[in-house]
């Protein structure tokens, strides 16, 4: 596994952080909001400007990037 840091696109704002997860591939583990990091919780909702930290199965980072880019389309 690898840990990646990604800015959350504005299209994710208002959606549960868990919506970013891809079962068996990636899971959001923390979010940084306005410079303050917090562990991801089931009730956390994404906001514009968030930075998310994900644990990703090796070899699937491209899939995760595509998933993050396609939100709200």
């Amino acid at each position: 596994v690898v840990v990646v840091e990604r800015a959350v696109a504005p299209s994710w704002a208002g959606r549960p952080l868990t919506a970013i997860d891809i079962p068996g591939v990636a899971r959001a583990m923390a979010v940084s909001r306005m410079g303050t990091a917090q562990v991801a919780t089931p009730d956390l909702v994404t906001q514009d400007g968030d930075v998310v930290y994900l644990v990703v199965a090796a070899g699937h980072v491209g899939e995760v990037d595509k998933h993050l880019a396609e939100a709200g389309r």
Side-chain angles (χ1 to χ4, degrees):
V1 296
V2 296
V3 175
V4 297
E5 172 188 87
R6 296 292 185 265
V8 176
S11 58
W12 282 100
R15 297 176 67 182
L17 185 63
T18 55
I20 290 176
D21 295 351
I22 304 173
V25 175
R27 177 167 295 177
M29 60 181 193
V31 65
S32 178
R33 180 171 292 157
M34 296 173 42
T36 302
Q38 57 187 309
V39 173
T41 60
D43 61 335
L44 193 60
V45 175
T46 57
Q47 295 181 8
D48 190 20
D50 282 355
V51 174
V52 66
Y53 298 87
L54 303 116
V55 60
V56 180
H60 291 273
V61 174
E63 179 181 348
V64 171
D65 286 341
K66 182 178 177 185
H67 173 64
L68 291 172
E70 290 178 347
R73 288 187 183 174

